[in-house]
Structure formats: structure tokens, C-alpha cells
Amino acid sequence: MIAPYKWLCDYVDMDIAPEELKRKLIMTGCQVEGYRDLGAGLHGVVVGKILTIQKHPDADKLSICSVDVGEETLQIVCGANNIFVGAYVPVAKIGAVLPGGITINKSKLRGVFSCGMLCSGRELELGPDDYPGADVDGIMILQNEPKLGTPLIDLLGLDDTIFEIEVGANRPDCLSMIGVARECAAALDKGITLPD
């Protein structure tokens, strides 16, 4: 059984993290095979807007971009050729850990500091099923002018955790979301709110 955490929260007032919920469900005898963060590798990636692009003085294929990410403007060196002023793009801020374990640090590229990274769909392990245009060769261009600084996981609807529950032959009550929600309510000693 696949059970999204946010959907379970529609039925039970959860005040604990998904990892703690997993532990409590296991304590009740529910076989939680695992759980996964849908936004893994996207934390620290936000919506930015390219304000300016200048040619790098010491590299033909690099550009120096000024990118507004909501609460600040970052200088980012980029090698993609599909960027343009006014483009809304995913920006990995310093400290972000991308899929594959790449950590974004302040770095110097050919003598110019880069304080983040403009991301392609490939670097974020996203495809056209996740976001239209994520498969383009170059930086992923975001549509509809999303709010600057918005976490990418919120924009893509990936701010959730999915539980994988093995339902035993003696637990047919856990073959539905309401059944799993009842189990969560029992594990947390809380009430359940059923849909109309």
C-alpha cells in the first residue's frame, strides 16, 4: 500500500515528522517497508529570475548572471547557452545537496565568484513528466512567472513523503487510505476526521 503523508494529514492531525510516524507505525505492528521524500535532492533549490547576463572576461563559454531569488540577488557563473534576461530558473543556493550528492558551495570560476548554480532538469533528475521542458539541453526554464524564492519542491508539488506499507493477510483494513489513517490515529492516540 502506498500512503502519502500529506494525504494522511487530511484525516489525522499529525504533529510529528514522517520518520517518527514510521517508527510509531512499526511499533503498532504495521509493516512499513520504507518511506521516501519526493523532494529528495531538491531542498535548497528555489525559483530565481535572471536580471543581467555579462560575458565572463576570461572564458568564452561562461556568463556571469545576476539572479534574484526573492530575499537576495546572487552572482552565478553559468555555462549554458539557453539563458536570457527575464528567465525564471531553478537556482541551487549555497548548501543545497543535489541528486547524486553534489553539494553547492561558493566557488571561484576563472577568477569570478559564483554563489549558487542555475540548474538543468537533468541535474535535478527531472524529466518532462515532472515539469514541461525539464528535458531541454541547458538550464530548465520555469513557466508562468512563479513567485521568486519559492522552493522548487513546492512549485512541483513534491513536498511530501510516501510510505510503502506491506499489508499482511490479517490486515485488510490497511488496504485503503482511511484504514492507514485509522492506524496512524491509533498509533498517535488521536482522533480521525473522515471525509463527508
Side-chain angles (χ1 to χ4, degrees), residues 6-192:
K6 281 190 169 180
W7 195 352
L8 292 171
C9 289
D10 288 345
Y11 303 125
V12 180
D13 181 25
M14 304 280 191
D15 55 1
I16 61 173
E19 186 173 334
E20 180 66 14
L21 177 61
K22 174 189 173 190
R23 190 183 69 72
K24 288 195 177 277
L25 286 173
I26 289 172
M27 296 297 287
T28 68
C30 191
Q31 292 189 340
V32 180
E33 291 295 310
Y35 72 102
R36 60 188 166 97
D37 177 1
L38 291 180
L42 300 178
H43 298 282
V45 180
V46 299
V47 173
K49 180 181 180 181
I50 299 175
L51 301 176
T52 63
I53 301 173
Q54 299 173 347
K55 187 170 172 16
H56 193 295
D58 296 324
D60 291 338
K61 295 186 179 181
L62 295 178
S63 300
I64 304 168
C65 303
S66 176
V67 184
D68 183 355
V69 292
E71 72 280 355
E72 61 184 326
T73 300
L74 304 175
Q75 176 176 285
I76 299 176
V77 177
C78 181
N81 59 8
N82 71 322
I83 57 174
F84 55 91
V85 172
Y88 286 77
V89 295
V91 178
K93 296 174 73 175
I94 293 172
V97 180
L98 300 181
I102 299 166
T103 301
I104 304 302
N105 298 306
K106 183 176 182 178
S107 58
K108 209 174 206 183
L109 298 169
R110 299 274 181 107
V112 176
F113 280 108
S114 184
C115 300
M117 178 177 145
L118 305 184
C119 302
S120 70
R122 184 176 300 129
E123 290 162 335
L124 299 174
E125 294 185 0
L126 298 173
D129 292 339
D130 301 307
Y131 193 85
D135 58 340
V136 300
D137 187 25
I139 302 303
M140 192 168 116
I141 306 298
L142 303 174
Q143 302 170 359
N144 303 322
E145 300 183 4
K147 183 179 178 190
L148 299 179
T150 301
L152 194 63
I153 58 172
D154 291 346
L155 183 70
L156 301 178
L158 297 176
D159 186 21
D160 203 353
T161 300
I162 303 296
F163 289 93
E164 296 176 28
I165 300 170
E166 183 177 323
V167 180
N170 62 335
R171 294 302 309 269
D173 57 309
C174 288
L175 286 172
S176 69
M177 283 300 297
I178 292 176
V180 175
R182 281 191 177 116
E183 192 70 18
C184 292
L188 299 173
D189 195 26
K190 294 196 175 227
I192 185 169

